[in-house]
Each structure stands twice: as structure tokens, then as C-alpha cells.
Amino acid sequence: MERGPSTVRRPRIRELTGPAPAPAREDRRSGARARQGEALRDAAAVAGAELDALLNYEWRSRLTAAWLIGVDRRASYRERIGTLLLDSEVRFAGVGYCFALARLGTRADAELLVAYLDRYLARPELDYDQAAALGALLRLDAELGTAYADRIVAPDGPWDTWVGEQIGSDASSLAPERLRAWTDLRCDFADGWTRP
């Protein structure tokens, strides 16, 4: 199996982003538990230098690093994740950055998501990770008892304007409550295989 800059295996991306071939019915539960255990061990064991290296590669490595950071709730990466999200140098990695910020779960994380949305909702031609950012922000608002997203999702506000300009997108797939539900699903799933 190909190895990355460390003991973190590159194929981990398959487990984080999409379904694997379904094993036989009797093996599904034990196989899922084994993969969850491996991911948790990777998240806890990966060294900072390894995460730093992954965050410097292409989108798959960055997405993997962001998920590992989020799963293990490594708050020391907050600033780096925020900078990477705001810079949006590569497509697709932002979903992982938003997941990590949602898992870290503080006002500082919410403020990074607001900064991202303020920058990129004003640029409708850049369809990046606005949906993931809004879902993460809505989750944080619910957990923190804050209202950062209120002005963004207000009727005829920045979110409605941006969605209206997304040609070919199904507006129902961009409904704020649906985006929050997706973020909740990912974070709750990660909660199921992480330590408190």
C-alpha cells in the first residue's frame, strides 16, 4: 500500500469521502468498526509534522488532514485551517476545513466561518465551499447559543442572493436546514468513534 509522508495511508481518503464496496452482510458491522478504530487511531497518532505536510499537498491530502484534525479536535490547527479555508487555494478541501471547525466548536471557529462566508458569498462565480461553511456555522450557532448565521440566512440576504445566482443548482439542496443536517450527520458520526 502506498504511504504518504508518514504512517498515514493515502487511501484513507476513500473512507472519509465516499462509500467503499459493500462487504458481505455479516462482515459489515465488524468491518465498519475496524475502519472507525483505524481512523481514530490515525487521528490520535498522527504527528503534527505529518499533518503539516499533508496540509501542504493537493486537495485529497488536505482533506484527509482536516478530517484527522477535526476527529481528534486539534485546536492548535484552528488558525491554519482558517487561513486555508479563507485562501481556498484548492477545490474540495474546504469541506474538511469546515468539518474541522465545526468539531472544534468555539466562537473563534464560528468567526472564521463568517469571514469565509462574507468573502465568498459576495463572489457567486466562485462556487467553492459556501454550503459546507454555512452548515458548519448553523451547527455552531445551535451548540453555542449564538446567532452568527442570522444575517446571512435572512430573507433576501447574502445566502439567498448567492443561491439565486448558482446556475444549475437545485435550490432545495442548498436549503440551510439541509446543510445543517449534513454537518450534524458528519459530526455526530465522528462523535460516535472518538473519545470525549
Side-chain angles (χ1 to χ4, degrees), residues 175-187:
E177 60 277 359
R178 187 169 184 179
L179 301 175
R180 157 92 194 275
W182 274 110
T183 301
D184 287 345
L185 183 68
R186 290 177 180 121
C187 290

Side-chain angles (χ1 to χ4, degrees), residues 57-73:
Y57 293 130
E58 41 51 69
W59 71 268
R60 289 175 185 89
S61 296
R62 291 179 184 207
L63 179 63
T64 301
W67 275 84
L68 292 169
I69 289 164
V71 166
D72 204 42
R73 290 188 168 123

Side-chain angles (χ1 to χ4, degrees), residues 124-174:
E125 74 279 8
L126 302 177
D127 181 8
Y128 290 167
D129 300 295
Q130 291 91 330
L134 182 62
L137 182 60
L138 290 167
R139 178 180 175 90
L140 289 178
D141 272 350
E143 288 184 347
L144 299 171
T146 56
Y148 288 104
D150 284 1
R151 72 170 173 78
I152 294 168
V153 297
D156 299 320
W159 186 253
D160 283 352
T161 301
W162 184 81
V163 169
E165 296 191 31
Q166 296 309 299
I167 298 170
S169 291
D170 174 15
S172 68
S173 70
L174 297 172

Side-chain angles (χ1 to χ4, degrees), residues 20 24 29 50 52 54-56 59 67 70 75-77 83 86 92 112 114 117 121 137 139 143-145 167 171 178:
R29 285 192 177 156
E50 295 169 318
D52 291 337
L54 288 170
L55 289 171
N56 285 323
W59 71 268
W67 275 84
S76 62
Y77 280 89
T83 298
L86 285 168
F92 310 117
L112 289 167
V114 168
L117 289 166
L121 289 178
L137 182 60
R139 178 180 175 90
E143 288 184 347
L144 299 171
I167 298 170
R178 187 169 184 179

